[in-house]
Amino acid sequence: FLKQSDIVISNAFFDLASKRQLREFFAKLDHKPHFLATINYIGMHFDSSSNEDELWIRKYEDHMQRDKSTGKSSGPHCIEYMKTILDEFGYDCKCHSSHWELDPSDTICAGIFDFMYDAFMDMGEDMDAFQKWRRNKANAKMHVLHEDIAC
């Protein structure tokens, strides 16, 4: 189906792929269709920062980039990898920030914390420490940094 496509669009997908998977995917696009990928995670922070923020965010990103049978997900390096690979295939790409500023009461904010909880359970982290950190963020805005890429 890719050989017949004029445009490829994805949302919150390519940051789950490994660098090898990205290269293999773009190699299949030999007729160079237009390309748009949005909501590619590049980081996060909070309005009220604490020393623990960096620790928990790094652990979250470690889980995101954990080794799978297909390789490590690109996670926050996705845009960097895609720009390099797409440049090699002759694409002229433009990138644009699409950051989210989430109020603590926002359901997306709660969903991200829930996803983090599940990730840390998988990793065998100290869940009491995570819950304490999460409670300390109860009144802080969450900033989730994304980048969009279009070619």
Side-chain angles (χ1 to χ4, degrees):
F1 78 95
L2 288 175
K3 302 243 184 247
Q4 301 168 2
S5 301
D6 294 325
I7 187 167
V8 175
I9 300 172
S10 75
N11 299 303
F13 173 73
F14 282 106
D15 51 5
L16 300 174
S18 69
K19 192 174 185 180
R20 179 181 58 82
Q21 287 175 310
L22 291 171
R23 184 173 303 286
E24 289 173 359
F25 176 81
F26 292 118
K28 293 179 182 183
L29 303 178
D30 56 355
H31 65 295
K32 288 178 58 175
H34 295 282
F35 176 75
L36 173 65
T38 62
I39 315 176
N40 299 289
Y41 176 88
I42 57 173
M44 74 167 30
H45 67 273
F46 295 86
D47 276 352
S48 64
S49 62
S50 71
N51 293 336
E52 290 183 307
D53 290 359
E54 187 176 325
L55 170 75
W56 288 109
I57 291 168
R58 183 182 47 78
K59 288 180 182 203
Y60 174 61
E61 291 174 354
D62 286 349
H63 181 267
M64 185 186 305
Q65 297 174 86
R66 69 195 180 283
D67 199 7
K68 302 174 191 77
S69 62
T70 57
K72 290 185 178 186
S73 297
S74 56
H77 306 288
C78 176
I79 290 293
E80 169 193 342
Y81 295 164
M82 283 200 300
K83 283 195 287 193
T84 300
I85 293 166
L86 287 164
D87 185 58
E88 290 171 11
F89 286 106
Y91 279 87
D92 180 28
C93 297
K94 304 287 186 245
C95 294
H96 187 270
S97 298
S98 60
H99 302 331
W100 295 352
E101 182 178 300
L102 304 171
D103 287 320
S105 62
D106 193 309
T107 57
I108 294 173
C109 186
I112 292 170
F113 274 125
D114 289 347
F115 186 80
M116 292 173 91
Y117 180 91
D118 292 343
F120 297 145
M121 286 288 290
D122 286 348
M123 296 170 71
E125 292 295 334
D126 179 346
M127 298 312 293
D128 289 335
F130 169 70
Q131 292 291 38
K132 179 181 176 191
W133 173 73
R134 182 178 178 169
R135 282 190 301 276
N136 289 338
K137 297 292 151 196
N139 296 315
K141 285 188 179 180
M142 176 188 284
H143 298 264
V144 185
L145 314 177
H146 297 105
E147 189 126 352
D148 302 336
I149 186 168
C151 310

